[in-house]
Amino acid sequence: MNAHRKMDKPDSRNRLDDMRQGLVGTAMDRPDGPLKVSGQATYAHEWDVPDMVHGVLARATISKGRVTDVASDEILADDAIHAVITDDRLLRRPAQGGANEAPPQGSKQVDYFGQPIALVVADTFEQARHAANNLKIGYETEGNAAFDPEAAGTETDKPEDDELEQGNLDQAMRDAAFTVDQVYRTPGHNSAAMEPHCAIASWEGDKLTLRGSYQMLNFNINELADALHISADNIRMLSPFVGGGFGSKLGLSPEAVAAAIAAKEIGRPVCVTLSRQQVFETTMRRSETRQHVRLSCGEDGDLTGLGHECLVSNLPGEEFYEPVTQATHFLYGGKNRKLGIEVARLNRTCGGSVRAPGEAVGMQVLENAMDELAEAAGIDPIELRKRNIPEQHPEKDIPYSSRRFTEALDEGAKRFGWDKRNAKPGTLREGDWLIGHGMAGAARINVLSEAKAKVTLQADGSAVVETDMTDIGTGTYAILTQIACDMLGLPADKVETKLGDTDFPAGPGSGGSWGASSSGSAVFLACEEIRRKLSDKLGSDERDLELADGKAGTGESAQSLAVILDREEISAIGHIEPGKTLEDWQQATYGSYFAEVAVNTITGETRVKRMLGVFGAGRILNEKTATSQCYGGMIWGIGSALTEELAFDNRDGHIVNHDLAEYHIPVNLDVPQIEVVLLKERDEFASPIQAKGIGELGICGAAAAVTNAIYNATGIRVRDYPATLDKLLEGLPDQQQ
């Protein structure tokens, strides 16, 4: 049985509100939690595959050119070395998220420093690593490599889809009572997921099994098949547990194809694991940005003009670019508008999706500029934002779906004590520390993605949920279990959720914050179909069917599901597709951030003392996992504000800080007490379960709250992220004396 729905019209039934089991929305513990804390969850590198050997990638030490020779004879003289793979099918870079086809192949052409060139296979990882490091590779270099996006002569292009000019922004800036015209810069970021990339490939005849750490198996299997020139029907991919992704594992990475080629060639399973340095060099980076923001408003604070023009970068030929202006298009009004993106073509590690592509860096800059405009106009920053929330999309004739932006701003101000804030910068001091308070808005586009899930109500009254959807730490196991429990009236220990196997129906993948609402909707639809079949057995209407505690009916008339099923099982596949509601309504999630910081007048050190986030993201499916996602996003926002940046050597484009010793992410002492508030909301346009994405919302503007607070503390505007102490020292009061 199939239950298919295309989201062409809103679903206002709010059925999950009426289910007697009542698990959806609660802070139910993760079913996978005990496995993880006891070490029983099998991550990619932990599969016990008999007769397995290990491969390590050898990487390019030039930035642009061609490989002329791979001197493997000396390496292969060692009996512990099984092969040196230089196959033309090796990937030069990872696939972009959702590519569904192989990225550029053929390692002889070198596009960036650190690009995979060959795979060395040996008995042990250490032997393979030693041999790969000593493999002699000959090159023919090309001298016109580009490393600096703002250097004169760097090739650029402008994607037409992101060019908008509406009205006359220049005139609006000339006529305005108050304006902001500033350039801001954000550095590149790396996902730096806790678990490095790994793939274990094994063949049985023409059938390939690949165990790996990937976010979007529904696309990854086709990318792997395309790269190997085989049918996807001959591949099974397994990723039941993924130790973080943040975008780095959206598309297929070089280790997967290398492992598959090597395993076929030597006739044994091959494990290829990336070192932390290789993860930084061969997976996706977030592009650095140069953002020129222009805002104009009248005496009343109403925006008359909005400009947001950005320079980002990627490799030559890559279609993806950081969509910096994604939220700027719909968040605030202003009828005179100019938005655009320019892409510099560089010989740097491939740019791609890192948590909340677009808004993560675009929102923090837009919210800095709004803070500057509020000060110029003498209007409270919250009030300025509220005055400029448009009734309709400012660039399209479409309405918004549910939008709790105003409520998030007001609730945040109330809980944080914004009315007690000293608005004059540099006037609140505690000893050597200047104290400041700042805020910012949050916004992230919402997407529903095609998804399928199979639910089986077994003869004993328990249920099994199956989909190739992954759980990258976001709580998928919990959320899908909760939905099935409520829809079928079962306690949590009677539902087993199985994920990360391409033999299961294709889910949406973990990315874009669409996973929970999309896969959850597929499970919801499958359960609705099962409920209909149960109703037929009972001779009742499905809407009147009451299920709870493994029974159907109420009071003494209730029967156990096992009795009703009478040794049979019922299965259904739920299938959700996006439709007209995504086209005809602007869908997004919204929120607000508030931060208190202390800046040391002697050292320039910034400490975040407290932070609050308030978010509206449709129906919250699990309070605990949603809150944790917001914690993670806000912590990343602290890192973006204060420490995180990829540093490149502009002599050859290599990443200087390609490990966690030098790429500085926030640690325990950097993170204060964080409070997260989740607003009650239902969005009938977003999905049949009225849920929207929340995984990425927590980072979208968070950094701006911190840097706006730094300004309130010190009077120093940091427009070149991160706000390291060297950017503050010269302007601090004690340094001027």
Side-chain angles (χ1 to χ4, degrees), residues 235-321:
I235 300 175
R236 184 185 185 190
M237 295 185 72
L238 297 167
S239 291
F241 297 100
V242 180
F246 309 117
S248 69
K249 299 169 184 173
L250 288 176
L252 196 73
S253 296
E255 75 281 349
V257 175
I261 293 171
K264 188 70 169 178
E265 181 169 317
I266 69 174
R268 293 174 64 177
V270 174
C271 172
V272 180
T273 303
L274 301 187
S275 67
R276 183 63 65 186
Q277 291 82 5
Q278 289 175 329
V279 168
F280 270 72
E281 290 180 350
T282 64
T283 67
M284 297 298 184
R285 65 175 172 94
R286 190 198 303 283
S287 171
E288 74 296 318
T289 73
R290 178 189 183 275
Q291 303 182 47
H292 181 200
V293 181
R294 290 182 286 171
L295 302 176
S296 63
C297 72
E299 295 281 354
D300 57 3
D302 287 349
L303 282 171
T304 58
L306 188 158
H308 197 175
E309 297 168 273
C310 312
L311 176 68
V312 299
S313 72
N314 211 336
L315 286 162
E318 277 293 331
E319 293 185 5
F320 176 89
Y321 55 89

XYZ file of all heavy atoms in Angstrom, residues 235-321:
652
model
N 24.382 -1.624 -5.775
C 25.046 -0.992 -4.632
C 24.107 -0.978 -3.436
O 22.909 -0.712 -3.559
C 25.458 0.459 -4.958
C 26.423 0.491 -6.152
C 26.107 1.125 -3.752
C 26.776 1.892 -6.606
N 24.673 -1.259 -2.282
C 23.982 -1.025 -1.014
C 24.882 -0.153 -0.155
O 26.055 -0.469 0.057
C 23.705 -2.342 -0.289
C 22.902 -2.159 1.012
C 22.755 -3.465 1.761
N 21.898 -3.331 2.933
C 21.754 -4.275 3.866
N 22.419 -5.427 3.751
N 20.957 -4.071 4.899
N 24.339 0.956 0.333
C 25.073 1.854 1.205
C 24.462 1.817 2.601
O 23.232 1.812 2.750
C 25.072 3.285 0.669
C 25.816 3.446 -0.649
S 25.926 5.182 -1.205
C 27.119 5.841 -0.026
N 25.342 1.810 3.606
C 24.915 1.737 4.997
C 25.534 2.882 5.791
O 26.755 3.019 5.843
C 25.335 0.403 5.616
C 24.716 -0.864 5.010
C 25.453 -2.099 5.489
C 23.242 -0.956 5.378
N 24.670 3.701 6.406
C 25.121 4.785 7.298
C 24.135 4.900 8.453
O 23.438 5.907 8.593
C 25.202 6.113 6.545
O 26.226 6.117 5.603
N 24.061 3.887 9.306
C 23.071 3.942 10.385
C 23.388 4.980 11.455
O 22.482 5.495 12.098
C 23.113 2.521 10.958
C 24.477 2.013 10.625
C 24.815 2.623 9.296
N 24.691 5.270 11.650
C 25.088 6.285 12.619
C 26.139 7.185 11.978
O 27.117 6.701 11.409
C 25.650 5.641 13.893
C 24.647 4.807 14.629
C 24.651 3.428 14.502
C 23.677 5.400 15.426
C 23.720 2.647 15.174
C 22.731 4.627 16.090
C 22.754 3.247 15.966
N 25.931 8.481 12.074
C 26.841 9.462 11.490
C 27.241 10.437 12.587
O 26.385 11.068 13.217
C 26.182 10.217 10.314
C 27.143 11.232 9.719
C 25.711 9.227 9.242
N 28.545 10.566 12.801
C 29.043 11.412 13.881
C 29.184 12.861 13.492
O 30.261 13.445 13.605
N 28.099 13.454 13.037
C 28.116 14.857 12.624
C 28.401 14.995 11.146
O 29.109 14.186 10.543
N 27.842 16.023 10.563
C 28.057 16.278 9.139
C 28.165 17.763 8.840
O 29.114 18.205 8.232
N 27.136 18.532 9.231
C 27.107 19.990 9.021
C 27.308 20.366 7.553
O 27.758 21.466 7.248
C 28.152 20.688 9.892
C 28.091 20.309 11.339
C 29.141 19.669 11.951
C 26.956 20.594 12.089
C 29.079 19.302 13.287
C 26.883 20.233 13.428
C 27.949 19.585 14.026
N 27.003 19.447 6.633
C 27.156 19.710 5.206
C 28.331 19.019 4.576
O 28.351 18.795 3.372
N 29.350 18.646 5.373
C 30.557 18.059 4.795
C 30.318 16.681 4.216
O 31.104 16.203 3.395
C 31.659 17.978 5.851
O 31.347 17.031 6.852
N 29.227 16.016 4.637
C 28.938 14.664 4.176
C 27.664 14.600 3.334
O 27.080 13.538 3.150
C 28.836 13.722 5.381
C 30.135 13.650 6.196
C 29.971 12.933 7.516
C 31.263 12.967 8.330
N 31.090 12.415 9.691
N 27.249 15.761 2.818
C 26.056 15.786 1.962
C 26.288 15.022 0.674
O 25.485 14.177 0.277
C 25.676 17.230 1.633
C 25.085 18.090 2.738
C 24.871 19.504 2.243
C 23.767 17.503 3.236
N 27.368 15.348 -0.009
C 27.684 14.699 -1.267
C 28.743 13.634 -1.078
O 29.466 13.600 -0.081
N 28.840 12.745 -2.048
C 29.837 11.686 -2.002
C 31.237 12.285 -2.020
O 31.524 13.210 -2.773
C 29.661 10.762 -3.203
C 30.356 9.408 -3.118
C 29.632 8.503 -2.136
C 30.432 8.762 -4.487
N 32.123 11.746 -1.168
C 33.484 12.257 -1.058
C 34.483 11.286 -1.685
O 34.160 10.116 -1.932
C 33.835 12.509 0.405
O 33.011 13.519 0.945
N 35.724 11.745 -1.920
C 36.704 10.922 -2.646
C 36.995 9.569 -2.018
O 37.307 8.606 -2.724
C 37.958 11.803 -2.655
C 37.431 13.201 -2.620
C 36.222 13.133 -1.737
N 36.901 9.457 -0.687
C 37.265 8.190 -0.047
C 36.342 7.047 -0.453
O 36.761 5.884 -0.514
C 37.287 8.344 1.480
C 35.948 8.405 2.161
C 35.259 9.739 2.071
O 35.915 10.716 1.651
O 34.070 9.831 2.418
N 35.073 7.346 -0.757
C 34.118 6.292 -1.093
C 34.466 5.633 -2.427
O 34.514 4.400 -2.537
C 32.705 6.870 -1.143
N 34.693 6.450 -3.433
C 35.021 5.913 -4.757
C 36.373 5.217 -4.723
O 36.555 4.136 -5.305
C 34.999 7.034 -5.810
C 35.463 6.525 -7.168
C 33.594 7.630 -5.917
N 37.341 5.795 -4.019
C 38.665 5.179 -3.924
C 38.582 3.813 -3.261
O 39.214 2.840 -3.708
C 39.607 6.096 -3.138
N 37.810 3.699 -2.180
C 37.670 2.415 -1.493
C 37.017 1.373 -2.390
O 37.436 0.204 -2.422
C 36.858 2.602 -0.210
N 35.987 1.789 -3.139
C 35.284 0.847 -4.011
C 36.183 0.345 -5.143
O 36.195 -0.853 -5.462
C 34.032 1.510 -4.578
N 36.938 1.245 -5.760
C 37.848 0.856 -6.841
C 38.920 -0.091 -6.314
O 39.215 -1.138 -6.910
C 38.489 2.098 -7.478
C 37.429 2.936 -8.214
C 39.610 1.701 -8.440
C 37.939 4.286 -8.679
N 39.506 0.240 -5.161
C 40.582 -0.577 -4.601
C 40.079 -1.953 -4.190
O 40.748 -2.973 -4.419
C 41.198 0.148 -3.408
N 38.901 -2.010 -3.553
C 38.367 -3.296 -3.110
C 38.111 -4.224 -4.293
O 38.344 -5.439 -4.213
C 37.079 -3.072 -2.316
N 37.654 -3.673 -5.394
C 37.425 -4.482 -6.599
C 38.744 -4.965 -7.177
O 38.877 -6.129 -7.596
C 36.659 -3.650 -7.631
C 36.199 -4.435 -8.850
C 35.091 -5.404 -8.485
C 34.440 -6.010 -9.717
N 33.395 -6.995 -9.383
N 39.741 -4.091 -7.185
C 41.020 -4.432 -7.817
C 41.771 -5.504 -7.049
O 42.344 -6.419 -7.646
C 41.885 -3.181 -7.940
C 43.235 -3.445 -8.613
C 43.966 -2.181 -8.974
O 43.323 -1.235 -9.488
O 45.192 -2.130 -8.756
N 41.793 -5.426 -5.703
C 42.598 -6.385 -4.944
C 41.778 -7.550 -4.404
O 42.331 -8.494 -3.849
C 43.355 -5.699 -3.792
C 42.382 -5.225 -2.702
C 44.186 -4.541 -4.301
C 43.085 -4.671 -1.483
N 40.439 -7.469 -4.546
C 39.606 -8.587 -4.137
C 39.429 -8.729 -2.635
O 39.131 -9.822 -2.139
N 39.589 -7.641 -1.889
C 39.407 -7.656 -0.439
C 38.706 -6.367 -0.015
O 38.823 -5.338 -0.697
C 40.764 -7.756 0.279
C 41.480 -9.069 0.074
C 42.874 -9.047 0.695
N 42.852 -8.896 2.155
C 43.956 -8.910 2.911
N 45.158 -9.061 2.349
N 43.862 -8.774 4.222
N 37.997 -6.394 1.104
C 37.397 -5.152 1.594
C 38.481 -4.124 1.908
O 39.542 -4.459 2.429
C 36.675 -5.586 2.873
C 36.456 -7.048 2.712
C 37.631 -7.560 1.940
N 38.193 -2.872 1.591
C 39.152 -1.787 1.808
C 38.473 -0.682 2.606
O 37.370 -0.244 2.276
C 39.694 -1.226 0.478
C 40.571 0.001 0.728
C 40.471 -2.293 -0.276
N 39.167 -0.236 3.643
C 38.707 0.876 4.469
C 39.567 2.097 4.171
O 40.798 2.025 4.255
C 38.813 0.513 5.945
S 38.486 1.887 7.082
N 38.924 3.210 3.819
C 39.639 4.474 3.594
C 39.079 5.508 4.563
O 37.899 5.849 4.506
C 39.501 4.970 2.145
C 40.264 6.281 1.968
C 39.997 3.920 1.160
N 39.935 5.972 5.449
C 39.550 6.984 6.436
C 40.392 8.233 6.218
O 41.599 8.135 5.986
C 39.777 6.462 7.867
O 39.033 5.261 8.046
C 39.316 7.491 8.895
N 39.749 9.387 6.283
C 40.468 10.647 6.129
C 41.002 11.113 7.476
O 40.310 11.051 8.486
C 39.558 11.728 5.549
C 38.934 11.465 4.184
C 38.203 12.715 3.700
C 39.954 11.023 3.160
N 42.233 11.579 7.483
C 42.761 12.247 8.669
C 42.059 13.590 8.815
O 41.386 14.072 7.902
C 44.268 12.469 8.528
O 44.537 13.412 7.500
N 42.221 14.216 9.978
C 41.596 15.521 10.175
C 42.093 16.526 9.151
O 41.313 17.325 8.607
C 41.892 16.030 11.597
C 41.224 17.348 11.935
C 39.713 17.261 11.916
N 39.195 16.387 12.949
C 37.917 16.053 13.075
N 37.022 16.503 12.208
N 37.517 15.254 14.048
N 43.373 16.485 8.829
C 43.922 17.412 7.831
C 43.307 17.150 6.453
O 43.005 18.084 5.705
C 45.443 17.275 7.773
C 46.169 17.769 9.014
C 46.182 16.747 10.131
O 45.723 15.610 9.962
N 46.724 17.128 11.277
N 43.113 15.873 6.123
C 42.500 15.551 4.836
C 41.039 15.983 4.790
O 40.549 16.404 3.737
C 42.629 14.052 4.569
C 44.048 13.607 4.264
C 44.151 12.104 4.115
O 43.403 11.340 4.738
N 45.089 11.653 3.296
N 40.346 15.879 5.919
C 38.964 16.349 5.972
C 38.905 17.831 5.622
O 38.071 18.273 4.821
C 38.348 16.088 7.364
C 37.016 16.829 7.514
C 38.147 14.600 7.597
N 39.789 18.623 6.209
C 39.812 20.055 5.932
C 40.123 20.329 4.466
O 39.575 21.255 3.862
C 40.859 20.740 6.817
C 40.328 21.216 8.139
C 40.013 20.315 9.142
C 40.139 22.560 8.392
C 39.529 20.735 10.370
C 39.652 23.003 9.619
C 39.344 22.085 10.614
N 41.016 19.540 3.875
C 41.492 19.846 2.525
C 40.615 19.291 1.418
O 40.541 19.894 0.335
C 42.911 19.301 2.346
C 43.962 20.053 3.157
C 45.356 19.489 2.971
O 45.488 18.414 2.363
O 46.309 20.128 3.437
N 39.947 18.147 1.653
C 39.278 17.476 0.534
C 37.764 17.478 0.634
O 37.098 16.981 -0.269
C 39.764 16.019 0.417
O 39.390 15.296 1.589
C 41.255 15.941 0.256
N 37.192 18.021 1.734
C 35.738 18.149 1.800
C 35.368 19.622 1.670
O 36.216 20.457 1.401
C 35.195 17.543 3.109
O 35.639 18.327 4.219
C 35.666 16.112 3.290
N 34.087 19.908 1.848
C 33.596 21.246 1.546
C 34.020 22.286 2.583
O 34.085 22.017 3.765
C 32.072 21.228 1.469
C 31.521 20.366 0.371
S 32.047 20.942 -1.267
C 31.141 19.797 -2.310
N 34.301 23.487 2.108
C 34.488 24.650 2.971
C 33.351 25.621 2.720
O 32.763 25.643 1.631
C 35.809 25.359 2.650
C 35.838 25.976 1.246
C 37.094 26.775 0.982
N 37.178 27.179 -0.419
C 36.740 28.348 -0.896
N 36.193 29.232 -0.085
N 36.855 28.635 -2.175
N 33.044 26.429 3.719
C 32.168 27.564 3.471
C 33.010 28.675 2.873
O 34.104 28.982 3.363
C 31.511 28.056 4.759
C 30.400 29.089 4.488
C 30.040 29.906 5.711
N 29.617 29.160 6.856
C 28.417 28.596 7.035
N 27.525 28.665 6.064
N 28.129 27.950 8.152
N 32.523 29.296 1.837
C 33.250 30.387 1.202
C 33.402 31.575 2.139
O 32.518 31.873 2.950
C 32.522 30.842 -0.063
O 33.096 32.028 -0.581
N 34.543 32.262 2.013
C 34.656 33.590 2.618
C 33.717 34.525 1.859
O 33.283 34.227 0.745
C 36.108 34.089 2.541
C 36.570 34.536 1.162
C 36.586 33.434 0.130
O 37.018 32.318 0.456
O 36.148 33.686 -1.018
N 33.367 35.658 2.460
C 32.481 36.607 1.785
C 32.977 38.036 1.977
O 33.583 38.374 2.985
C 31.035 36.545 2.330
O 30.974 37.135 3.639
C 30.515 35.121 2.396
N 32.710 38.849 0.964
C 32.813 40.306 1.066
C 31.413 40.826 0.790
O 30.868 40.584 -0.292
C 33.802 40.864 0.050
C 33.920 42.394 0.071
C 34.748 42.893 -1.106
N 34.948 44.335 -1.072
C 34.076 45.231 -1.564
N 32.937 44.826 -2.121
N 34.343 46.531 -1.493
N 30.803 41.502 1.761
C 29.408 41.905 1.640
C 29.277 43.424 1.766
O 29.653 44.005 2.784
C 28.566 41.218 2.732
C 28.656 39.693 2.702
C 27.789 39.041 3.752
O 26.612 39.383 3.919
N 28.343 38.077 4.480
N 28.760 44.017 0.711
C 28.498 45.464 0.694
C 27.018 45.664 0.973
O 26.154 45.265 0.183
C 28.871 46.045 -0.671
C 28.664 47.524 -0.775
N 28.541 48.186 -1.985
C 28.550 48.495 0.182
C 28.368 49.474 -1.768
N 28.369 49.682 -0.461
N 26.721 46.270 2.121
C 25.335 46.471 2.531
C 25.025 47.961 2.545
O 25.780 48.762 3.113
C 25.060 45.874 3.930
C 23.599 46.087 4.322
C 25.393 44.389 3.953
N 23.905 48.306 1.909
C 23.407 49.682 1.925
C 21.964 49.676 2.416
O 21.130 48.934 1.887
C 23.494 50.312 0.532
C 24.916 50.592 0.082
C 24.954 51.262 -1.284
N 24.650 50.307 -2.360
C 24.441 50.655 -3.626
N 24.471 51.943 -3.974
N 24.196 49.737 -4.541
N 21.685 50.482 3.422
C 20.340 50.613 3.967
C 19.985 52.088 4.034
O 20.828 52.923 4.374
C 20.252 50.016 5.378
C 20.613 48.542 5.558
C 20.562 48.174 7.035
C 19.693 47.637 4.756
N 18.739 52.398 3.741
C 18.264 53.778 3.868
C 16.879 53.774 4.500
O 16.079 52.861 4.266
C 18.211 54.466 2.490
O 17.275 53.822 1.638
N 16.617 54.791 5.307
C 15.295 54.885 5.939
C 14.944 56.350 6.163
O 15.803 57.234 6.136
C 15.258 54.121 7.257
S 16.180 54.885 8.612
N 13.652 56.578 6.385
C 13.187 57.920 6.707
C 13.308 58.201 8.192
O 13.815 57.387 8.965
N 12.802 59.377 8.608
C 12.832 59.751 10.021
C 12.091 58.739 10.892
O 12.425 58.550 12.067
C 12.208 61.141 10.202
C 12.973 62.275 9.537
C 14.189 62.714 10.345
O 14.352 62.204 11.469
O 14.955 63.563 9.854
N 11.083 58.083 10.312
C 10.276 57.124 11.066
C 10.915 55.744 11.145
O 10.382 54.840 11.782
C 8.881 57.002 10.443
C 8.925 56.602 8.965
O 10.043 56.357 8.430
O 7.854 56.524 8.344
N 12.059 55.551 10.492
C 12.740 54.264 10.526
C 12.288 53.279 9.474
O 12.838 52.170 9.389
N 11.306 53.650 8.655
C 10.848 52.734 7.607
C 11.891 52.658 6.494
O 12.319 53.694 5.954
C 9.520 53.204 7.017
C 8.356 52.980 7.973
O 8.554 52.281 8.994
O 7.258 53.488 7.698
N 12.292 51.446 6.155
C 13.287 51.262 5.109
C 12.767 51.744 3.767
O 11.665 51.387 3.344
C 13.672 49.780 4.991
C 14.633 49.212 6.045
C 14.723 47.693 5.901
C 16.015 49.825 5.899
N 13.583 52.547 3.101
C 13.269 52.955 1.733
C 14.179 52.270 0.723
O 13.858 52.210 -0.461
C 13.427 54.475 1.589
O 14.776 54.848 1.954
C 12.439 55.211 2.482
N 15.313 51.763 1.189
C 16.244 51.100 0.283
C 17.019 50.011 0.996
O 17.309 50.101 2.195
N 17.334 48.965 0.243
C 18.091 47.843 0.793
C 19.005 47.289 -0.296
O 18.529 46.857 -1.347
C 17.136 46.764 1.309
C 17.735 45.589 2.096
C 16.671 44.942 2.979
C 18.311 44.531 1.179
N 20.297 47.318 -0.039
C 21.267 46.748 -0.965
C 22.136 45.718 -0.268
O 22.577 45.937 0.864
N 22.359 44.612 -0.922
C 23.193 43.540 -0.347
C 23.903 42.854 -1.516
O 23.328 42.013 -2.202
C 22.310 42.552 0.429
C 23.086 41.670 1.371
N 22.478 40.785 2.231
C 24.428 41.524 1.589
C 23.394 40.134 2.938
N 24.574 40.566 2.555
N 25.163 43.253 -1.747
C 25.930 42.729 -2.878
C 27.168 42.023 -2.340
O 27.913 42.584 -1.531
C 26.314 43.869 -3.815
C 25.090 44.545 -4.432
C 25.425 45.847 -5.120
O 25.440 46.886 -4.429
O 25.679 45.813 -6.336
N 27.387 40.805 -2.801
C 28.347 39.924 -2.141
C 29.333 39.312 -3.129
O 28.975 38.987 -4.265
C 27.607 38.793 -1.430
S 26.235 39.363 -0.417
N 30.552 39.139 -2.661
C 31.589 38.414 -3.391
C 31.904 37.148 -2.616
O 32.223 37.199 -1.425
C 32.848 39.273 -3.534
C 34.052 38.590 -4.202
C 33.776 38.326 -5.676
C 35.313 39.434 -4.029
N 31.799 36.000 -3.297
C 32.130 34.709 -2.697
C 33.098 34.004 -3.645
O 33.534 34.580 -4.647
C 30.862 33.854 -2.471
C 29.917 34.565 -1.516
C 30.146 33.546 -3.786
N 33.450 32.753 -3.354
C 34.401 32.071 -4.237
C 34.098 30.591 -4.341
O 33.424 30.005 -3.490
C 35.845 32.257 -3.727
O 36.069 31.492 -2.564
N 34.625 29.999 -5.413
C 34.625 28.546 -5.573
C 35.593 28.176 -6.679
O 36.154 29.056 -7.355
C 33.223 28.000 -5.882
C 33.027 26.592 -5.328
O 33.992 25.853 -5.110
N 31.794 26.204 -5.096
N 35.790 26.871 -6.858
C 36.657 26.385 -7.921
C 36.076 26.721 -9.291
O 34.850 26.849 -9.447
C 36.816 24.869 -7.804
C 37.715 24.359 -6.674
C 37.428 22.889 -6.404
C 39.182 24.554 -7.042
N 36.900 26.848 -10.294
C 36.387 27.024 -11.654
C 35.460 25.879 -12.038
O 35.744 24.714 -11.772
C 37.662 27.018 -12.512
C 38.745 27.439 -11.580
C 38.375 26.877 -10.242
N 34.324 26.224 -12.617
C 33.397 25.207 -13.093
C 32.375 24.743 -12.074
O 31.399 24.082 -12.448
N 32.561 25.065 -10.798
C 31.592 24.646 -9.788
C 30.355 25.542 -9.850
O 30.460 26.754 -9.796
C 32.204 24.707 -8.386
C 33.016 23.495 -8.003
C 32.172 22.235 -7.843
O 30.983 22.348 -7.480
O 32.712 21.143 -8.088
N 29.176 24.918 -9.930
C 27.939 25.679 -10.022
C 27.499 26.241 -8.671
O 26.837 27.272 -8.610
C 26.827 24.805 -10.602
C 27.051 24.421 -12.067
C 25.878 23.653 -12.640
O 24.857 23.506 -11.931
O 25.978 23.192 -13.790
N 27.850 25.557 -7.580
C 27.407 26.034 -6.261
C 28.127 27.317 -5.881
O 29.320 27.483 -6.126
C 27.686 24.972 -5.187
C 27.330 25.451 -3.797
C 26.061 25.267 -3.294
C 28.270 26.107 -3.004
C 25.725 25.723 -2.019
C 27.946 26.572 -1.728
C 26.665 26.376 -1.242
N 27.389 28.209 -5.253
C 27.987 29.392 -4.640
C 27.213 29.696 -3.362
O 26.033 29.361 -3.236
C 27.955 30.600 -5.586
C 26.581 30.938 -6.115
C 25.750 31.812 -5.430
C 26.111 30.367 -7.299
C 24.485 32.119 -5.903
C 24.843 30.661 -7.780
C 24.039 31.539 -7.079
O 22.775 31.826 -7.548
